[in-house]
Amino acid sequence: QQQVKQSPQSLIVQKGGISIINCAYENTAFDYFPWYQQFPGKGPALLIAIRPDVSEKKEGRFTISFNKSAKQFSLHIMDSQPGDSATYFCAASNDYKLSFGAGTTVTVRA
Amino acid sequence: GAGVSQSPSNKVTEKGKDVELRCDPISGHTALYWYRQSLGQGLEFLIYFQGNSAPDKSGLPSDRFSAERTGGSVSTLTIQRTQQEDSAVYLCASSLGVSQVLYFGPGTRLTVT
């Protein structure tokens, strides 16, 4: 069973636009919510992560919004650039074992 | 410094054959993970090694899958009697101690024909 549900499966955004990816989880024991970025032929790399004691975390153009009561979290990519074109995975964990969403392929059109 | 390396990068094998996939973690990282990434799917946890502790094998899909980690460093994932449904990218990751920050290798793409 997939413990983390991610949407959309893919999205296309114009350069300078905002990309939004949503994830939902069921296990209330999860206490760590990272996002990973993966380029073709490469392994995923940690992009940004949040813990449930805060509602938002921003690093550069990337922001995580976290809604504990709704058991949802999202990634916002501001001022999207062609170099942001990649697959993004949300994940959740309460120990060493990460449960990943199915991934979102983001394409940024120049 | 060097990241996680995996070999081979690609492996094509016939159904029924055994395969071995290798992972070299980042030096000094005590935790090592194997994940499987199937087309259009997220990453599926397979196995976790931490120091000298017994590994968590709870994610291995069948007894055809096994893994070992020698000397607390290099790890080998072995798939016996491969099936077509084993076709996927096998990713290795390592982390420092109990850190939840995983560093992934580039993966081994396994194709079973």
Side-chain angles (χ1 to χ4, degrees), chain B residues 4-15:
Chain B
V4 177
S5 60
Q6 294 185 243
S7 61
S9 55
N10 282 283
K11 177 71 176 179
V12 180
T13 190
E14 292 181 351
K15 177 182 174 182

Side-chain angles (χ1 to χ4, degrees), chain A residues 2 9 31-32 36 38 41-44 46 51 89 93-98 100-103, chain B residues 33 35 37 40-45 48 56 58-59 89 91 100-107:
Chain A
Q2 193 158 37
Q9 186 174 15
D31 64 0
Y32 175 67
Y36 279 79
Q38 183 178 32
K42 306 290 186 182
L46 179 66
R51 296 201 182 269
F89 293 94
S93 171
N94 63 327
D95 56 17
Y96 51 82
K97 196 182 303 183
L98 284 170
F100 283 86
Chain B
Y33 310 72
Y35 280 82
Q37 183 175 19
Q41 303 294 315
L43 281 68
E44 172 191 14
F45 169 81
Y48 166 76
D56 177 352
S58 61
V89 176
L91 291 161
Q100 290 171 303
V101 179
L102 272 58
Y103 296 85
F104 282 89

